[in-house]
Amino acid sequence: MNVIANSAVEWYFACHITDVPHNGGVCVKVEDTQIALFHFAHRDEWFASDNECPHRKQMAISRGMLGSHHGEPKVACPFHKKTFSLTDGRCLNSEEGLSIRTYPVKVEEGKVFINIAALNQPFTSTIQTDAYEDQTD
Amino acid sequence: MKVVVIGNGMVGYKFCEKLIAKSLPGLELTVFGEEMFPAYDRVHLSEYFAGKTLADLSMTEFSWYADNDVKLELGNPIVRIDRTQKKIHSFSGAETAYDYLVMATGSAPFIPAIPGIDKEGVFAYRTLEDLHLIQRHAPLSRKAIVIGGGLLGLEAAKAMLDLGITDTHVVEFAPRLMPRQLDHNASVILQQKLSALGITCHLNKNTIAVLGNESVRGIMFSDGSMLHADMLVISAGIKPRDELAKACELPVGHRGGIIVNDLMQTADPSIYAIGECALHNNMIYGLVAPGYDMADTVVAHLSGASKMFCGFDMSTKLKLIGIDVASFGDPFIGGEEAKTIVFEDSHNGIYKRINFTPDGKQLLGGILVGDASSYNMLQQVCRNQMTLPPDPMDLIIKPRQGSSMAGVDALPADALVCSCENVTKADLTDAMSAHGCETVDALKKCTKAGTGCGGCVPMVKDILLHTMKQQGRYIRNVICEHFQYSRQELFDLIRLKELKDFDAVLDTYGKGDGCEICRPVVSSLLASLWNEIVLKKENHTSQDTNDRFLANIQKGGTYSVVPRIPGGEITPDKLIVIGEVAKKYNLYTKITGGQRIDLFGAHVSDLPLMWEELIAAGFESGHAYGKALRTVKSCVGSTWCRFGLHDSVSYAIRIEERYRGLRAPHKIKSAVSGCIRECAEAQSKDFGIIATEKGWNLYVCGNGGSKPQHALLLASDLDSDTCIRYIDRFLMFYIRTADPLARTATWLNKMEGGIDYLRNVVVNDSLGICGQLEQEMQALVDSYQCEWKQVVDSPELRKRFNHFVNAPGEKDPNVQFETLRDQKKAAGW
């Protein structure tokens, strides 16, 4: 996925803090990619991750519900409630090898920025699913 | 030691897993697979059509092989075995030397030599590749025939249904279905159930030709009759893949299969055969559990231990298209060797047969169709030769409450609970005491029990609960890690402190940050208590996505919208408005089971616009997205029907408008029938009303869905107002006391004292709370507002209905549709 060829812009301006609901997320359009941005107000923290859930390839993580698992912040995909760590993106339900990418977030003067450097790095959410899709296409 | 495995199916993989677990020094393990995919779960193959992916079906992660230094060669079939040089030659031309060779080549579908079998549209049902071909052909097909009425054939028929072919026919040579598992009467019951699903069975039929020119048009039977179809799936049994063994002159059975001894060795002691290609004692085992046991035997032998394979229990339990079918032990034994008890209920489609010794002491086998809930227990009783109750009939007549727990207690420690993974009761209890497993998931991880076919999971759960109870550990029914309270306790606490939002509840009574389990529970409690708008600022992110967007999320991330149509009554003008809205926003329309209309495929940013138009025409939210009252279905009643006793439509509308928007532990459905013919199917609802000469009969706690249950009569011959008072009390009592996501039927099933207790509370006011319940309900009724209208009227709320925060109004470009019968549908996943 060649999203932003020139990674000069590492901190991408997403929106204003008031645009994001407390303890919830929004979807940010970064060129032709989608990133989920969360304001976890109960923890006073901000997180960002891929908007696509690797389980069924649905663009819906930003509409997911926030929570914690033994203290670790997580988000649950609204489709099948697969949960992912917001710290490192790994799936917390089972050992299916699913994961999402997470991105650093910073807030300056009421504006929210996402560090999108990781977008340029190769990433596969699951080896099996990708291998299989190549077979059928 | 160089070990080479030919075949990467379920058994071949299991062999590798078990061998690696032994960590033998100097082991070099190479696996050759003919298919392009690493080992996958063939047992659950038909679930591929029901939405499972290869990743779901895969036996392990792809990286497992590399991580464990196992060389995996996929798409590289072996062409020759050189026994003298101990080498194998693969298709790619390479030679690989072995010290030990394990043949796990499995089987191929048996394709009968019928003229025309090579026509287009004829498929085997065995591999993922077959499934891909079937899947590609299915959209062109209207009517399908499956040849073979055995286990796999019926699985294939289910796959046809999943692919949307509603007219499916099963052809079987034997006079009954699943001839290896079922007797005649069981087959008749199964046939009735299948025919209700659109699968027609043709028994005693010998197919002699496939009709059609290039592509299949049907088949002809030996009696001259014909059956037309445009797709033919062959699932008439298996043929062991023994061609490599034959070519290197290893002895094989006459009807195929590589002959092995009790150590699974072929005539050449350095070559083993396991799984469906092996012929042991003149028997091919077409099930996975014995295959795993064979793999175990070879692993034991290679690592210097001793284990013999001495045949295997062929008990099976499966869910065919939602129908339980099971057989265990010797299902057919009878005559002088055994006595038999048969329970047959053709009304509910249940058949149970048990065979036991003439002295009535020991269970020998049996058959279950329609209800196999007692399978695990019966199989254990049979296998462990446990003593039967004085009247063996007690084994198959509805197990009384608590009896399954007592049953678990009676199991000996060495009882095999999971036959796929060879896990005994003692293994489970050890895992609990030594490794501290306290959940079914933990037990699965620790012992692997329940990770094969999954059939033993209910029993694993029973053993877990029972052992915990025995150890004096209190099992609290808590919501999740964040709240150490039951739903009912939390309901009372929130009311007591008058808490109004999730964070307040969490900070007062919980810990951590909440999760996808407790957030919707608390949101529902807040709605049931205070009936504030669900999208109130502090609470909207704690609503499930459907409640958060007041619509139902569907494949692809678009939503479906259901306006309320009380009682299913609608004017032509309003129908036209729905049609116009659907046209304007390009939506797929479908009539729901609840007598209303569902509009699918709406982008999130279109939702407020659609609602605005619907509201202008007099519609409101149908709450199809909420754990709330859904519909009150009605028959047309005395206004038109010549049998109708009362005006069921007017009463249904009154009830639906009274309880609309009511939030509850789960969805609530209702119906009103105008006479005893019961056209509105009220007895399948959470509360249902049927007109009598003198008034209304009120039934409660029925359910359709996966576990259908008839509603029970709560009170009879009520006048309209009294009936509503009873419903008020009943619903409020349910809302106060049920567990999260428990439908009324489940709630009643768990209630001590059952319907009599419930009747005492609701009708006789035994708890003295009826006044309060009615008051609470009235407050909820009075504070009802349409949630859609609240969004439409609020610019701030409308802002939330955008896909991109930084590109409002822009739609998700990833959403894709396909066309089916002139309408759109979501692209598959």
Side-chain angles (χ1 to χ4, degrees):
Chain A
M1 210 187 321
N2 182 19
V3 180
I4 298 176
N6 174 7
S7 62
V9 198
E10 286 218 326
W11 287 100
Y12 187 90
F13 167 61
C15 60
H16 292 91
I17 51 171
T18 48
D19 293 331
V20 187
H22 279 200
N23 300 310
V26 291
C27 170
V28 179
K29 184 178 154 110
V30 179
E31 312 252 319
D32 46 12
T33 317
Q34 303 186 13
I35 292 184
L37 171 66
F38 301 99
H39 182 196
F40 208 152
H42 194 253
R43 302 169 64 99
D44 198 16
E45 287 181 289
W46 289 79
F47 297 100
S49 75
D50 289 333
N51 192 34
E52 184 182 81
C53 177
H55 173 229
R56 290 284 186 240
K57 308 262 178 216
Q58 299 289 301
M59 285 293 184
I61 294 284
S62 59
R63 296 178 209 168
M65 216 177 272
L66 295 179
S68 64
H69 176 64
H70 302 308
E72 185 172 4
K74 64 170 186 176
V75 60
C77 172
F79 274 91
H80 304 94
K81 298 260 166 82
K82 299 276 175 207
T83 57
F84 299 92
S85 160
L86 286 169
T87 334
D88 60 14
R90 75 187 193 288
C91 180
L92 298 171
N93 299 96
S94 51
E95 305 136 289
E96 288 168 63
L98 300 179
S99 63
I100 53 176
R101 275 182 295 199
T102 56
Y103 307 88
V105 180
K106 71 175 179 186
V107 176
E108 279 173 5
E109 293 166 4
K111 290 178 170 174
V112 190
F113 297 87
I114 303 173
N115 189 311
I116 53 170
L119 270 184
N120 284 324
Q121 284 150 25
F123 174 78
T124 13
S125 54
T126 81
I127 294 160
Q128 300 104 306
T129 315
D130 288 350
Y132 147 63
E133 282 190 354
D134 288 346
Q135 305 276 1
T136 48
D137 278 350
Chain B
M1 176 166 68
K2 290 188 182 115
V3 178
V4 173
V5 182
I6 308 180
N8 188 225
M10 296 177 81
V11 172
Y13 165 73
K14 194 51 84 174
F15 170 79
C16 296
E17 187 191 279
K18 286 176 190 270
L19 188 62
I20 291 296
K22 295 279 181 206
S23 323
L24 300 180
L27 174 72
E28 282 177 45
L29 182 57
T30 310
V31 184
F32 286 86
E34 172 182 70
E35 286 187 67
M36 293 306 294
F37 314 103
Y40 53 87
D41 181 353
R42 247 183 256 278
V43 176
H44 296 103
L45 204 55
S46 70
E47 290 174 21
Y48 185 70
F49 291 135
K52 286 219 172 185
T53 63
L54 182 64
D56 297 325
L57 292 176
S58 198
M59 299 289 292
T60 183
E61 283 169 36
F62 196 66
S63 56
W64 180 89
Y65 298 93
D67 292 348
N68 291 288
D69 286 327
V70 178
K71 205 167 157 219
L72 177 64
E73 299 248 356
L74 291 178
N76 193 6
I78 300 303
V79 289
R80 195 160 66 82
I81 300 170
D82 183 343
R83 282 169 49 196
T84 41
Q85 304 245 8
K86 286 195 161 189
K87 272 182 187 166
I88 56 171
H89 299 261
S90 71
F91 181 75
S92 68
E95 291 179 4
T96 310
Y98 66 85
D99 295 319
Y100 293 101
L101 181 65
V102 177
M103 305 189 67
T105 46
S107 64
F110 168 68
I111 306 284
I114 304 169
I117 199 91
D118 51 353
K119 290 193 198 305
E120 253 173 60
V122 182
F123 303 94
Y125 183 79
R126 175 75 189 161
T127 63
L128 268 180
E129 190 53 41
D130 295 333
L131 263 64
H132 286 152
L133 294 172
I134 290 173
Q135 203 169 24
R136 222 166 292 157
H137 187 83
L140 312 170
S141 172
R142 286 169 173 277
K143 186 171 170 184
I145 299 173
V146 175
I147 294 190
L151 219 143
L152 204 59
L154 295 181
E155 275 280 316
K158 171 189 189 312
M160 297 302 107
L161 282 190
D162 286 338
L163 285 169
I165 302 172
T166 45
D167 193 6
T168 296
H169 295 253
V170 170
V171 173
E172 170 59 45
F173 181 69
R176 59 181 195 268
L177 291 172
M178 297 180 69
R180 280 173 165 229
Q181 285 89 9
L182 301 185
D183 62 13
H184 175 76
N185 292 6
S187 166
V188 170
I189 295 268
L190 181 60
Q191 245 174 286
Q192 284 168 357
K193 294 210 131 191
L194 291 172
S195 102
L197 292 164
I199 297 177
T200 315
C201 300
H202 307 261
L203 303 175
N204 257 328
K205 290 284 188 186
N206 184 12
T207 307
I208 53 162
V210 177
L211 308 174
N213 294 326
E214 300 235 311
S215 26
V216 58
R217 298 289 298 278
I219 53 177
M220 186 190 260
F221 301 119
S222 55
D223 60 9
S225 62
M226 286 184 285
L227 185 58
H228 291 285
D230 42 26
M231 179 157 167
L232 180 62
V233 176
I234 310 286
S235 186
I238 56 171
K239 197 176 64 184
R241 293 280 304 269
D242 56 8
E243 64 273 12
L244 278 174
K246 252 191 221 161
C248 67
E249 291 172 347
L250 286 172
V252 298
H254 299 310
R255 291 199 296 152
I258 309 166
I259 296 174
V260 293
N261 60 18
D262 288 350
L263 296 169
M264 305 316 292
Q265 272 170 326
T266 64
D268 179 337
S270 49
I271 302 182
Y272 298 83
I274 56 176
E276 291 176 331
C277 66
L279 185 69
H280 177 263
N281 238 340
N282 240 337
M283 174 99 181
I284 295 282
Y285 288 90
L287 294 177
V288 63
Y292 287 1
D293 200 41
M294 294 176 187
D296 226 19
T297 308
V298 179
V299 168
H301 200 224
L302 291 181
S303 51
S306 68
K307 175 179 179 336
M308 307 249 240
F309 178 81
C310 337
F312 203 86
D313 179 17
M314 290 298 277
S315 301
T316 11
K317 175 188 166 191
L318 69 161
K319 220 179 183 67
L320 276 169
I321 326 175
I323 307 166
D324 279 341
V325 178
S327 75
F328 57 93
D330 186 337
F332 305 118
I333 190 168
E336 285 179 9
E337 297 166 279
K339 285 190 177 159
T340 292
I341 294 180
V342 170
F343 169 84
E344 193 173 338
D345 171 357
S346 61
H347 176 60
N348 292 306
I350 294 171
Y351 178 83
K352 297 178 182 184
R353 165 180 174 162
I354 48 171
N355 314 316
F356 46 91
T357 48
D359 60 6
K361 292 226 166 106
Q362 210 183 305
L363 190 59
L364 298 171
I367 299 171
L368 303 167
V369 175
D371 171 15
S373 52
S374 45
Y375 167 77
N376 280 317
M377 186 50 61
L378 288 172
Q379 199 210 355
Q380 292 293 347
V381 170
C382 179
R383 183 160 30 193
N384 294 297
Q385 310 191 342
M386 289 158 70
T387 316
L388 297 185
D391 187 352
M393 190 161 75
D394 288 356
L395 288 170
I396 48 169
I397 303 303
K398 256 194 184 153
R400 283 167 213 105
Q401 206 124 52
S403 70
S404 75
M405 296 289 274
V408 171
D409 193 25
L411 278 183
D414 60 355
L416 193 61
V417 175
C418 172
S419 51
C420 298
E421 293 288 344
N422 244 322
V423 183
T424 61
K425 182 184 169 192
D427 293 337
L428 292 169
T429 48
D430 288 352
M432 293 178 64
S433 47
H435 301 282
C437 298
E438 290 192 345
T439 61
V440 173
D441 278 344
L443 280 176
K444 276 179 159 180
K445 256 187 199 166
C446 187
T447 64
K448 294 213 150 195
T451 56
C453 72
C456 63
V457 172
M459 182 167 261
V460 171
K461 194 175 173 192
D462 275 356
I463 291 175
L464 175 83
L465 290 176
H466 183 75
T467 313
M468 289 193 44
K469 258 194 182 165
Q470 258 183 343
Q471 294 170 348
R473 279 192 271 177
Y474 179 45
I475 312 159
R476 263 185 78 97
N477 185 14
V478 300
I479 294 171
C480 65
E481 66 171 86
H482 306 102
F483 287 96
Q484 294 299 306
Y485 296 102
S486 70
R487 180 182 177 279
Q488 187 178 354
E489 288 163 341
L490 204 54
F491 182 92
D492 293 334
L493 292 171
I494 295 174
R495 181 164 54 180
L496 194 74
K497 289 256 173 143
E498 295 195 23
L499 301 173
K500 297 284 174 78
D501 65 69
F502 179 79
D503 279 5
V505 177
L506 182 65
D507 294 339
T508 316
Y509 292 113
K511 58 175 189 200
D513 302 292
C515 67
E516 72 283 359
I517 297 166
C518 59
R519 279 181 191 271
V521 171
V522 171
S523 299
S524 159
L525 289 174
L526 291 169
S528 295
L529 276 165
W530 317 121
N531 212 16
E532 292 180 329
I533 117 165
V534 295
L535 293 193
K536 208 181 100 178
K537 192 161 184 196
E538 296 77 18
N539 283 332
H540 92 276
T541 50
S542 292
Q543 307 287 349
D544 257 326
T545 194
N546 288 351
D547 262 321
R548 189 171 160 194
F549 290 96
L550 306 178
N552 296 49
I553 197 166
Q554 306 290 357
K555 266 187 182 178
T558 60
Y559 287 85
S560 67
V561 169
V562 186
R564 186 168 296 291
I565 300 178
E569 181 185 85
I570 186 164
T571 62
D573 282 337
K574 278 184 147 181
L575 266 181
I576 288 169
V577 171
I578 290 186
E580 280 169 344
V581 168
K583 240 183 169 165
K584 178 165 170 188
Y585 295 94
N586 183 24
L587 305 173
Y588 167 83
T589 51
K590 186 175 186 309
I591 309 289
T592 72
Q595 301 189 332
R596 41 195 198 169
I597 300 169
D598 207 340
L599 311 170
F600 289 79
H603 285 274
V604 68
S605 51
D606 285 340
L607 293 173
L609 302 169
M610 288 169 54
W611 296 337
E612 197 163 13
E613 292 183 34
L614 289 167
I615 289 168
F619 287 104
E620 60 181 352
S621 166
H623 298 95
Y625 45 79
K627 306 292 179 226
L629 178 83
R630 294 287 171 84
T631 66
V632 181
K633 188 175 172 182
S634 71
C635 70
V636 74
S638 58
T639 48
W640 290 95
C641 175
R642 66 192 193 280
F643 299 115
L645 294 171
H646 308 310
D647 181 357
S648 46
V649 180
S650 299
Y651 199 43
I653 294 173
R654 179 175 168 195
I655 292 172
E656 183 157 346
E657 290 186 338
R658 180 168 181 81
Y659 302 116
R660 62 191 166 182
L662 178 71
R663 292 304 204 277
H666 210 310
K667 61 185 170 188
I668 307 170
K669 298 179 176 182
S670 176
V672 182
S673 278
C675 78
I676 195 59
R677 281 167 194 76
E678 244 283 71
C679 296
E681 296 163 334
Q683 289 168 96
S684 66
K685 306 297 182 195
D686 294 280
F687 63 99
I689 298 150
I690 302 174
T692 67
E693 297 276 352
K694 296 180 200 154
W696 306 101
N697 279 355
L698 175 59
Y699 294 81
V700 292
C701 302
N703 203 354
S706 62
K707 257 188 133 180
Q709 185 169 324
H710 276 126
L712 299 172
L713 184 64
L714 186 76
S716 34
D717 296 330
L718 305 169
D719 63 75
S720 300
D721 292 345
T722 309
C723 185
I724 283 185
R725 285 221 320 280
Y726 285 180
I727 300 169
D728 279 2
R729 299 171 182 180
F730 162 72
L731 288 176
M732 263 338 283
F733 189 52
Y734 163 62
I735 288 170
R736 274 194 186 190
T737 60
D739 281 338
L741 300 180
R743 291 287 295 271
T744 54
T746 322
W747 171 65
L748 181 69
N749 293 346
K750 282 191 185 169
M751 191 181 291
E752 258 177 67
I755 184 73
D756 296 326
Y757 175 78
L758 183 63
R759 189 179 296 114
N760 257 331
V761 174
V762 171
V763 180
N764 305 327
D765 199 7
S766 61
L767 297 179
I769 56 169
C770 286
Q772 205 186 348
L773 294 175
E774 283 174 36
Q775 232 175 16
E776 284 171 7
M777 180 60 83
Q778 193 56 47
L780 292 177
V781 170
D782 293 340
S783 57
Y784 166 80
Q785 295 175 47
C786 171
E787 294 150 2
W788 288 355
K789 187 156 191 311
Q790 290 167 334
V791 172
V792 168
D793 292 345
S794 155
E796 197 205 339
L797 288 179
R798 282 180 92 131
K799 254 175 66 180
R800 293 184 195 158
F801 290 80
N802 273 306
H803 185 71
F804 294 114
V805 66
N806 55 346
E810 196 171 311
K811 289 173 178 158
D812 180 1
N814 287 55
V815 170
Q816 306 235 323
F817 299 111
E818 290 161 5
T819 305
L820 181 67
R821 289 182 294 277
D822 302 330
Q823 292 207 72
K824 70 177 181 182
K825 73 173 184 97
W829 57 25

